[in-house]
DNA sequence: AAACCAACCGACTTACAAGTCGGTTTAAGG
DNA sequence: CCTTAAACCGACTTGTAAGTCGGTTGGTTT
Protein backbone atom coordinates (compact mmCIF):
# COMPACT_ATOMS: atom_id res chain seq x y z
CA UNK A 1 0.00 0.00 0.00
CA UNK A 2 2.79 2.38 0.90
CA UNK A 3 4.56 1.20 -2.23
CA UNK A 4 1.59 2.03 -4.36
CA UNK A 5 1.88 5.61 -3.17
CA UNK A 6 5.52 5.83 -4.20
CA UNK A 7 4.60 4.40 -7.57
CA UNK A 8 1.80 6.87 -8.06
CA UNK A 9 3.99 9.76 -7.09
CA UNK A 10 6.72 8.87 -9.57
CA UNK A 11 4.25 8.23 -12.35
CA UNK A 12 2.64 11.55 -11.59
CA UNK A 13 5.95 13.37 -11.75
CA UNK A 14 6.77 11.65 -15.02
CA UNK A 15 3.42 12.57 -16.58
CA UNK A 16 3.58 16.17 -15.48
CA UNK A 17 7.09 16.78 -16.74
CA UNK A 18 6.33 14.74 -19.87
CA UNK A 19 3.37 16.90 -20.82
CA UNK A 20 5.44 20.01 -20.21
CA UNK A 21 8.25 18.91 -22.51
CA UNK A 22 6.13 17.16 -25.14
CA UNK A 23 4.07 20.30 -25.37
CA UNK A 24 7.11 22.51 -25.66
CA UNK A 25 9.09 20.42 -28.15
CA UNK A 26 6.63 17.96 -29.64
CA UNK A 27 6.22 14.26 -28.87
CA UNK A 28 8.43 12.84 -31.60
CA UNK A 29 11.06 15.47 -31.06
CA UNK A 30 11.43 14.62 -27.40
CA UNK A 31 13.44 11.61 -26.27
CA UNK A 32 12.68 9.82 -23.05
CA UNK A 33 16.13 10.80 -21.82
CA UNK A 34 15.20 14.46 -22.22
CA UNK A 35 12.50 13.92 -19.64
CA UNK A 36 14.35 11.45 -17.45
CA UNK A 37 17.36 13.72 -17.08
CA UNK A 38 15.14 16.55 -15.89
CA UNK A 39 13.75 14.30 -13.19
CA UNK A 40 17.01 12.47 -12.44
CA UNK A 41 15.37 9.18 -13.24
CA UNK A 42 16.64 6.27 -15.30
CA UNK A 43 15.40 4.21 -18.20
CA UNK A 44 14.87 1.40 -15.76
CA UNK A 45 12.56 3.47 -13.61
CA UNK A 46 10.59 4.56 -16.63
CA UNK A 47 10.03 1.09 -18.01
CA UNK A 48 9.16 -0.15 -14.57
CA UNK A 49 6.12 2.12 -14.66
CA UNK A 50 5.17 2.32 -18.32
CA UNK A 51 5.33 -0.33 -20.97
CA UNK A 52 6.29 2.04 -23.80
CA UNK A 53 6.54 5.67 -24.78
CA UNK A 54 3.12 5.34 -26.38
CA UNK A 55 1.59 3.87 -23.24
CA UNK A 56 3.16 6.75 -21.32
CA UNK A 57 1.63 9.40 -23.54
CA UNK A 58 -1.77 7.74 -23.41
CA UNK A 59 -1.55 8.04 -19.64
CA UNK A 60 -0.78 11.73 -20.06
CA UNK A 61 -3.72 12.21 -22.38
CA UNK A 62 -6.15 10.44 -20.08
CA UNK A 63 -4.95 11.88 -16.81
CA UNK A 64 -3.92 15.40 -17.74
CA UNK A 65 -5.12 16.56 -21.13
CA UNK A 66 -8.65 15.25 -20.76
CA UNK A 67 -8.93 16.87 -17.35
CA UNK A 68 -7.68 20.22 -18.57
CA UNK A 69 -9.95 20.30 -21.59
CA UNK A 70 -12.91 19.41 -19.44
CA UNK A 71 -12.10 22.04 -16.88
CA UNK A 72 -11.41 24.80 -19.39
CA UNK A 73 -13.75 24.10 -22.28
CA UNK A 74 -16.47 21.67 -21.32
CA UNK A 75 -17.52 22.20 -17.73
CA UNK A 76 -18.08 25.94 -18.21
CA UNK A 77 -20.74 25.00 -20.77
CA UNK A 78 -22.89 23.52 -18.03
CA UNK A 79 -24.98 26.61 -17.49
CA UNK A 80 -28.45 28.02 -17.93
CA UNK A 81 -27.32 31.47 -18.95
CA UNK A 82 -27.05 32.89 -22.43
CA UNK A 83 -24.69 30.42 -24.19
CA UNK A 84 -22.89 32.93 -26.36
CA UNK A 85 -21.06 34.95 -23.70
CA UNK A 86 -20.35 31.74 -21.82
CA UNK A 87 -18.68 30.18 -24.85
CA UNK A 88 -16.67 33.31 -25.52
CA UNK A 89 -15.50 33.46 -21.95
CA UNK A 90 -14.39 29.83 -21.99
CA UNK A 91 -12.38 30.32 -25.16
CA UNK A 92 -10.83 33.54 -23.92
CA UNK A 93 -9.84 31.70 -20.79
CA UNK A 94 -8.41 28.72 -22.65
CA UNK A 95 -6.25 30.92 -24.86
CA UNK A 96 -5.00 32.99 -21.97
CA UNK A 97 -1.72 31.75 -20.52
CA UNK A 98 -1.97 32.76 -16.91
CA UNK A 99 -3.44 31.94 -13.51
CA UNK A 100 -5.50 28.77 -13.92
CA UNK A 101 -3.86 28.00 -17.22
CA UNK A 102 -0.14 28.35 -16.74
CA UNK A 103 0.82 26.01 -19.56
CA UNK A 104 -1.42 27.45 -22.28
CA UNK A 105 -3.40 24.26 -22.51
CA UNK A 106 -5.56 25.81 -25.14
CA UNK A 107 -2.71 25.28 -27.52
CA UNK A 108 -2.21 21.62 -26.97
CA UNK A 109 -5.12 20.11 -28.79
CA UNK A 110 -4.31 21.34 -32.27
CA UNK A 111 -0.61 20.64 -31.87
CA UNK A 112 -1.04 17.06 -30.75
CA UNK A 113 -3.90 16.35 -33.12
CA UNK A 114 -1.75 17.34 -36.06
CA UNK A 115 1.35 15.59 -34.77
CA UNK A 116 -0.33 12.23 -34.26
CA UNK A 117 -2.59 12.34 -37.26
CA UNK A 118 -1.56 9.48 -39.56
CA UNK A 119 1.32 8.54 -37.28
CA UNK A 120 -0.48 6.95 -34.37
CA UNK A 121 -4.06 5.82 -34.82
CA UNK A 122 -4.54 5.02 -31.12
CA UNK A 123 -3.50 8.39 -29.80
CA UNK A 124 -5.04 10.49 -32.51
CA UNK A 125 -8.27 8.57 -31.97
CA UNK A 126 -8.30 9.52 -28.32
CA UNK A 127 -7.59 13.16 -29.08
CA UNK A 128 -10.36 13.25 -31.65
CA UNK A 129 -12.67 11.77 -29.05
CA UNK A 130 -11.94 14.75 -26.80
CA UNK A 131 -12.85 17.11 -29.62
CA UNK A 132 -15.99 15.11 -30.18
CA UNK A 133 -17.12 15.43 -26.58
CA UNK A 134 -16.50 19.14 -26.76
CA UNK A 135 -18.54 19.42 -29.92
CA UNK A 136 -21.45 17.46 -28.48
CA UNK A 137 -21.52 19.71 -25.43
CA UNK A 138 -21.33 22.85 -27.53
CA UNK A 139 -24.18 21.70 -29.72
CA UNK A 140 -26.39 20.80 -26.82
CA UNK A 141 -25.75 24.11 -25.10
CA UNK A 142 -26.49 25.99 -28.31
CA UNK A 143 -29.73 24.09 -28.80
CA UNK A 144 -30.81 24.86 -25.28
CA UNK A 145 -29.91 28.47 -25.94
CA UNK A 146 -32.19 28.43 -28.94
CA UNK A 147 -35.09 27.08 -26.90
CA UNK A 148 -34.44 29.70 -24.25
CA UNK A 149 -34.67 32.44 -26.84
CA UNK A 150 -31.02 33.49 -26.82
CA UNK A 151 -30.25 32.26 -30.29
CA UNK A 152 -32.09 32.91 -33.52
CA UNK A 153 -34.35 30.10 -34.69
CA UNK A 154 -32.76 29.72 -38.12
CA UNK A 155 -29.33 28.91 -36.74
CA UNK A 156 -27.64 25.56 -37.48
CA UNK A 157 -26.21 24.63 -34.08
CA UNK A 158 -23.95 21.88 -35.42
CA UNK A 159 -22.55 24.30 -37.97
CA UNK A 160 -21.87 26.92 -35.32
CA UNK A 161 -20.09 24.38 -33.12
CA UNK A 162 -17.93 23.25 -36.06
CA UNK A 163 -17.05 26.81 -36.91
CA UNK A 164 -16.20 27.73 -33.33
CA UNK A 165 -13.98 24.69 -32.93
CA UNK A 166 -12.23 25.24 -36.25
CA UNK A 167 -11.43 28.87 -35.53
CA UNK A 168 -10.23 28.03 -32.03
CA UNK A 169 -7.92 25.27 -33.23
CA UNK A 170 -6.66 27.41 -36.05
CA UNK A 171 -5.63 30.21 -33.72
CA UNK A 172 -2.84 27.95 -32.57
CA UNK A 173 -1.12 28.13 -35.90
CA UNK A 174 -1.19 31.89 -35.72
CA UNK A 175 -0.22 32.21 -32.09
CA UNK A 176 2.81 29.95 -32.37
CA UNK A 177 5.39 32.40 -31.27
CA UNK A 178 4.79 34.56 -28.26
CA UNK A 179 1.40 34.78 -26.72
CA UNK A 180 0.37 37.56 -29.04
CA UNK A 181 -2.15 39.73 -27.24
CA UNK A 182 -3.15 41.47 -30.43
CA UNK A 183 -4.14 38.31 -32.28
CA UNK A 184 -6.06 36.97 -29.32
CA UNK A 185 -7.96 40.20 -29.03
CA UNK A 186 -8.81 40.23 -32.73
CA UNK A 187 -10.01 36.66 -32.52
CA UNK A 188 -12.32 37.30 -29.58
CA UNK A 189 -13.69 40.46 -31.18
CA UNK A 190 -14.57 38.71 -34.41
CA UNK A 191 -16.08 35.81 -32.53
CA UNK A 192 -18.33 38.31 -30.78
CA UNK A 193 -19.23 39.85 -34.11
CA UNK A 194 -20.14 36.42 -35.45
CA UNK A 195 -22.11 35.47 -32.35
CA UNK A 196 -23.97 38.72 -32.55
CA UNK A 197 -25.20 37.65 -35.97
CA UNK A 198 -26.67 34.41 -34.67
CA UNK A 199 -28.16 35.85 -31.50
CA UNK A 200 -31.89 36.33 -31.26
CA UNK A 201 -32.62 40.04 -31.50
CA UNK A 202 -35.81 40.83 -29.68
CA UNK A 203 -36.74 43.89 -31.68
CA UNK A 204 -39.98 44.08 -29.77
CA UNK A 205 -38.35 44.27 -26.36
CA UNK B 1 22.52 22.38 -71.52
CA UNK B 2 20.95 19.03 -72.17
CA UNK B 3 22.39 17.93 -68.85
CA UNK B 4 20.71 20.76 -67.06
CA UNK B 5 17.42 19.54 -68.42
CA UNK B 6 18.00 16.07 -67.05
CA UNK B 7 18.90 17.59 -63.71
CA UNK B 8 15.81 19.72 -63.64
CA UNK B 9 13.60 16.83 -64.57
CA UNK B 10 14.93 14.59 -61.81
CA UNK B 11 14.71 17.35 -59.24
CA UNK B 12 11.19 18.03 -60.35
CA UNK B 13 10.21 14.39 -60.01
CA UNK B 14 11.79 14.28 -56.57
CA UNK B 15 9.97 17.38 -55.39
CA UNK B 16 6.61 16.26 -56.71
CA UNK B 17 6.76 12.81 -55.17
CA UNK B 18 8.28 14.27 -52.01
CA UNK B 19 5.42 16.68 -51.47
CA UNK B 20 2.95 13.89 -52.08
CA UNK B 21 4.50 11.60 -49.48
CA UNK B 22 5.47 14.27 -46.95
CA UNK B 23 1.92 15.51 -47.08
CA UNK B 24 0.49 12.03 -46.68
CA UNK B 25 2.77 10.82 -43.89
CA UNK B 26 4.45 13.90 -42.47
CA UNK B 27 7.99 15.15 -43.04
CA UNK B 28 9.66 13.59 -40.04
CA UNK B 29 7.78 10.35 -40.49
CA UNK B 30 9.01 9.93 -44.06
CA UNK B 31 12.48 8.63 -44.80
CA UNK B 32 14.29 9.58 -47.95
CA UNK B 33 14.28 5.93 -48.92
CA UNK B 34 10.49 5.94 -48.83
CA UNK B 35 10.58 8.51 -51.60
CA UNK B 36 13.60 7.18 -53.47
CA UNK B 37 12.15 3.67 -53.69
CA UNK B 38 8.98 5.04 -55.25
CA UNK B 39 11.05 6.74 -57.92
CA UNK B 40 13.65 3.98 -58.25
CA UNK B 41 16.39 6.43 -57.41
CA UNK B 42 19.32 6.07 -55.04
CA UNK B 43 20.76 8.00 -52.14
CA UNK B 44 23.57 9.01 -54.45
CA UNK B 45 21.19 10.56 -56.92
CA UNK B 46 19.41 12.43 -54.18
CA UNK B 47 22.52 13.94 -52.64
CA UNK B 48 23.81 14.83 -56.06
CA UNK B 49 20.89 17.22 -56.39
CA UNK B 50 20.15 18.35 -52.85
CA UNK B 51 22.53 19.05 -50.03
CA UNK B 52 20.23 17.75 -47.30
CA UNK B 53 16.70 16.67 -46.52
CA UNK B 54 16.05 20.18 -45.23
CA UNK B 55 17.37 21.79 -48.39
CA UNK B 56 15.14 19.42 -50.33
CA UNK B 57 12.02 20.41 -48.44
CA UNK B 58 12.81 24.09 -48.77
CA UNK B 59 12.89 23.53 -52.51
CA UNK B 60 9.48 21.91 -52.27
CA UNK B 61 8.10 24.81 -50.27
CA UNK B 62 9.46 27.42 -52.66
CA UNK B 63 8.61 25.68 -55.89
CA UNK B 64 5.39 23.89 -55.11
CA UNK B 65 3.68 25.01 -51.93
CA UNK B 66 4.16 28.72 -52.54
CA UNK B 67 2.81 28.34 -56.07
CA UNK B 68 -0.23 26.42 -54.95
CA UNK B 69 -1.12 28.80 -52.17
CA UNK B 70 -0.76 31.73 -54.50
CA UNK B 71 -2.89 30.12 -57.17
CA UNK B 72 -5.62 28.97 -54.79
CA UNK B 73 -5.74 31.61 -52.09
CA UNK B 74 -3.97 34.76 -53.12
CA UNK B 75 -4.41 35.39 -56.82
CA UNK B 76 -8.20 35.06 -56.64
CA UNK B 77 -8.15 38.05 -54.28
CA UNK B 78 -6.99 40.27 -57.10
CA UNK B 79 -10.41 41.52 -58.02
CA UNK B 80 -12.64 44.58 -57.98
CA UNK B 81 -15.79 42.71 -57.12
CA UNK B 82 -17.41 42.33 -53.74
CA UNK B 83 -14.62 40.78 -51.62
CA UNK B 84 -16.82 38.59 -49.46
CA UNK B 85 -18.10 36.13 -52.08
CA UNK B 86 -14.66 36.10 -53.66
CA UNK B 87 -13.02 35.06 -50.40
CA UNK B 88 -15.62 32.41 -49.76
CA UNK B 89 -15.17 30.99 -53.23
CA UNK B 90 -11.41 30.81 -52.86
CA UNK B 91 -11.68 28.97 -49.54
CA UNK B 92 -14.31 26.60 -50.86
CA UNK B 93 -12.00 25.87 -53.75
CA UNK B 94 -8.97 25.33 -51.58
CA UNK B 95 -10.75 22.86 -49.34
CA UNK B 96 -12.21 20.93 -52.24
CA UNK B 97 -10.11 17.94 -53.27
CA UNK B 98 -10.83 17.67 -56.95
CA UNK B 99 -10.06 19.00 -60.40
CA UNK B 100 -7.54 21.84 -59.97
CA UNK B 101 -6.68 20.69 -56.47
CA UNK B 102 -6.07 16.95 -56.64
CA UNK B 103 -3.85 16.82 -53.57
CA UNK B 104 -6.04 18.82 -51.20
CA UNK B 105 -3.45 21.55 -50.93
CA UNK B 106 -5.71 23.44 -48.62
CA UNK B 107 -4.74 21.00 -45.96
CA UNK B 108 -1.02 21.37 -46.20
CA UNK B 109 -0.40 24.69 -44.56
CA UNK B 110 -1.70 23.88 -41.11
CA UNK B 111 -0.11 20.43 -41.11
CA UNK B 112 3.34 21.63 -42.03
CA UNK B 113 3.16 24.74 -39.89
CA UNK B 114 2.45 22.63 -36.84
CA UNK B 115 5.00 19.97 -37.71
CA UNK B 116 7.89 22.39 -38.16
CA UNK B 117 6.98 24.76 -35.38
CA UNK B 118 9.78 24.61 -32.80
CA UNK B 119 11.59 21.90 -34.75
CA UNK B 120 12.93 23.84 -37.70
CA UNK B 121 13.11 27.59 -37.52
CA UNK B 122 14.11 28.02 -41.16
CA UNK B 123 11.22 26.08 -42.63
CA UNK B 124 8.58 27.25 -40.20
CA UNK B 125 9.70 30.79 -40.92
CA UNK B 126 9.11 30.34 -44.62
CA UNK B 127 5.70 28.81 -44.04
CA UNK B 128 4.71 31.65 -41.74
CA UNK B 129 5.82 34.05 -44.42
CA UNK B 130 3.32 32.47 -46.80
CA UNK B 131 0.57 32.96 -44.24
CA UNK B 132 1.72 36.52 -43.83
CA UNK B 133 1.46 37.29 -47.53
CA UNK B 134 -1.99 35.77 -47.56
CA UNK B 135 -3.03 37.92 -44.63
CA UNK B 136 -1.71 41.11 -46.18
CA UNK B 137 -3.63 40.41 -49.37
CA UNK B 138 -6.80 39.60 -47.48
CA UNK B 139 -6.56 42.80 -45.49
CA UNK B 140 -5.96 44.95 -48.49
CA UNK B 141 -8.86 43.41 -50.38
CA UNK B 142 -11.13 43.89 -47.37
CA UNK B 143 -10.11 47.52 -47.04
CA UNK B 144 -10.80 48.13 -50.70
CA UNK B 145 -14.15 46.43 -50.21
CA UNK B 146 -14.92 48.85 -47.43
CA UNK B 147 -14.13 51.83 -49.63
CA UNK B 148 -16.27 50.38 -52.37
CA UNK B 149 -19.19 50.09 -49.99
CA UNK B 150 -19.35 46.33 -49.77
CA UNK B 151 -18.27 46.12 -46.16
CA UNK B 152 -19.63 47.99 -43.16
CA UNK B 153 -17.54 50.94 -42.01
CA UNK B 154 -17.11 49.75 -38.43
CA UNK B 155 -15.37 46.51 -39.46
CA UNK B 156 -11.80 45.74 -38.34
CA UNK B 157 -10.26 44.36 -41.53
CA UNK B 158 -7.19 42.93 -39.80
CA UNK B 159 -9.42 41.16 -37.32
CA UNK B 160 -11.54 39.68 -40.08
CA UNK B 161 -8.47 38.42 -41.91
CA UNK B 162 -7.13 36.82 -38.74
CA UNK B 163 -10.44 35.17 -38.06
CA UNK B 164 -10.81 33.86 -41.59
CA UNK B 165 -7.30 32.42 -41.59
CA UNK B 166 -7.72 30.84 -38.17
CA UNK B 167 -10.96 29.13 -39.07
CA UNK B 168 -9.55 27.92 -42.37
CA UNK B 169 -6.44 26.45 -40.79
CA UNK B 170 -8.47 24.92 -38.02
CA UNK B 171 -10.72 23.07 -40.45
CA UNK B 172 -7.78 20.85 -41.18
CA UNK B 173 -7.82 19.38 -37.71
CA UNK B 174 -11.46 18.51 -38.15
CA UNK B 175 -11.22 17.23 -41.68
CA UNK B 176 -8.33 14.88 -40.97
CA UNK B 177 -9.96 11.71 -42.01
CA UNK B 178 -11.92 11.50 -45.20
CA UNK B 179 -12.82 14.64 -47.06
CA UNK B 180 -15.96 15.10 -45.04
CA UNK B 181 -18.50 16.89 -47.21
CA UNK B 182 -20.73 17.66 -44.26
CA UNK B 183 -18.08 19.54 -42.28
CA UNK B 184 -16.98 21.51 -45.30
CA UNK B 185 -20.55 22.54 -46.00
CA UNK B 186 -21.09 23.62 -42.40
CA UNK B 187 -17.91 25.65 -42.46
CA UNK B 188 -18.83 27.51 -45.63
CA UNK B 189 -22.35 28.16 -44.38
CA UNK B 190 -21.14 29.68 -41.13
CA UNK B 191 -18.54 31.71 -42.94
CA UNK B 192 -21.34 33.15 -45.06
CA UNK B 193 -23.32 33.89 -41.92
CA UNK B 194 -20.36 35.70 -40.44
CA UNK B 195 -19.62 37.62 -43.61
CA UNK B 196 -23.23 38.64 -43.81
CA UNK B 197 -22.78 40.32 -40.45
CA UNK B 198 -19.89 42.44 -41.63
CA UNK B 199 -21.34 43.32 -45.05
CA UNK B 200 -22.68 46.80 -45.64
CA UNK B 201 -26.47 46.59 -45.77
CA UNK B 202 -27.86 49.31 -47.95
CA UNK B 203 -31.23 49.52 -46.32
CA UNK B 204 -32.07 52.43 -48.53
CA UNK B 205 -31.50 50.54 -51.78
C1' DA C 1 18.06 -10.59 10.92
C1' DA C 2 16.71 -12.85 7.01
C1' DA C 3 13.97 -12.95 3.21
C1' DC C 4 11.35 -10.57 -0.07
C1' DC C 5 9.99 -7.37 -3.57
C1' DA C 6 8.85 -2.93 -5.60
C1' DA C 7 11.53 0.83 -7.19
C1' DC C 8 15.34 2.09 -9.46
C1' DC C 9 19.94 1.97 -12.03
C1' DG C 10 22.66 2.32 -16.42
C1' DA C 11 25.25 -0.17 -19.87
C1' DC C 12 23.85 -2.63 -23.71
C1' DT C 13 21.11 -4.15 -27.84
C1' DT C 14 18.42 -3.03 -31.71
C1' DA C 15 16.39 -0.37 -35.28
C1' DC C 16 16.18 3.13 -38.28
C1' DA C 17 17.36 7.05 -41.05
C1' DA C 18 20.55 10.87 -42.60
C1' DG C 19 24.45 11.61 -44.86
C1' DT C 20 29.21 9.87 -47.17
C1' DC C 21 32.04 8.14 -50.70
C1' DG C 22 34.44 5.46 -54.07
C1' DG C 23 32.93 3.43 -58.04
C1' DT C 24 29.83 2.87 -62.46
C1' DT C 25 26.86 4.38 -66.20
C1' DT C 26 25.49 7.42 -69.81
C1' DA C 27 25.58 10.73 -73.22
C1' DA C 28 27.52 14.81 -75.43
C1' DG C 29 31.68 16.86 -77.83
C1' DG C 30 35.89 16.33 -80.05
C1' DC D 1 36.23 5.81 -80.95
C1' DC D 2 37.73 8.25 -76.86
C1' DT D 3 37.45 11.56 -73.30
C1' DT D 4 35.05 13.91 -69.82
C1' DA D 5 31.83 15.05 -66.48
C1' DA D 6 27.21 15.01 -64.89
C1' DA D 7 24.02 11.69 -63.22
C1' DC D 8 23.52 7.88 -60.66
C1' DC D 9 24.51 3.65 -57.65
C1' DG D 10 24.51 1.28 -53.08
C1' DA D 11 27.28 -0.35 -49.27
C1' DC D 12 28.97 1.90 -45.40
C1' DT D 13 29.39 5.23 -41.46
C1' DT D 14 27.34 7.82 -37.92
C1' DG D 15 24.07 9.39 -34.70
C1' DT D 16 20.00 8.91 -32.11
C1' DA D 17 16.46 7.03 -29.47
C1' DA D 18 13.41 3.13 -27.95
C1' DG D 19 13.45 -0.72 -25.42
C1' DT D 20 16.10 -4.73 -22.54
C1' DC D 21 18.12 -6.84 -18.70
C1' DG D 22 20.99 -8.29 -14.94
C1' DG D 23 21.99 -6.16 -10.96
C1' DT D 24 21.45 -2.80 -6.62
C1' DT D 25 18.87 -0.35 -3.06
C1' DG D 26 15.79 0.32 0.64
C1' DG D 27 11.73 -0.40 3.03
C1' DT D 28 8.43 -4.09 4.83
C1' DT D 29 7.08 -8.43 6.72
C1' DT D 30 7.65 -12.41 9.50
Amino acid sequence: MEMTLKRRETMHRLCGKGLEIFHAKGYYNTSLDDILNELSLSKGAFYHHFKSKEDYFINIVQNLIVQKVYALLIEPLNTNENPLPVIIESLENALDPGKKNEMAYGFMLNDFLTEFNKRNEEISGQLKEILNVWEVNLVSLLKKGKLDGYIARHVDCEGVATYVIASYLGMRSLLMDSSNKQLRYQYIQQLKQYFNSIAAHNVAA
Side-chain angles (χ1 to χ4, degrees), chain A residues 2-31:
Chain A
E2 212 61 31
M3 276 305 147
T4 303
L5 275 181
K6 187 79 193 297
R7 178 180 178 86
R8 278 196 191 289
E9 194 241 319
T10 303
M11 287 175 80
H12 191 260
R13 280 205 307 148
L14 277 165
C15 287
K17 182 60 77 175
L19 177 57
E20 181 189 326
I21 303 189
F22 286 144
H23 176 234
K25 305 188 4 176
Y27 175 83
Y28 290 106
N29 197 34
T30 300
S31 72

Side-chain angles (χ1 to χ4, degrees), chain A residues 67 69-79:
Chain A
Q67 307 301 330
V69 173
Y70 267 74
L72 282 169
L73 294 172
I74 295 180
E75 266 153 28
L77 304 183
N78 185 17
T79 174

Side-chain angles (χ1 to χ4, degrees), chain A residues 60-76:
Chain A
I60 291 175
V61 172
Q62 305 260 295
N63 295 330
L64 298 178
I65 299 184
V66 165
Q67 307 301 330
K68 267 296 168 188
V69 173
Y70 267 74
L72 282 169
L73 294 172
I74 295 180
E75 266 153 28

Side-chain angles (χ1 to χ4, degrees), chain A residues 12-54:
Chain A
H12 191 260
R13 280 205 307 148
L14 277 165
C15 287
K17 182 60 77 175
L19 177 57
E20 181 189 326
I21 303 189
F22 286 144
H23 176 234
K25 305 188 4 176
Y27 175 83
Y28 290 106
N29 197 34
T30 300
S31 72
L32 293 178
D33 285 324
D34 290 344
I35 297 163
L36 295 171
N37 288 338
E38 289 267 319
L39 297 175
S40 300
L41 282 174
S42 67
K43 278 278 174 64
F46 179 87
Y47 282 97
H48 181 67
H49 295 300
F50 301 100
K51 63 185 252 286
S52 67
K53 190 184 180 187
E54 178 183 4

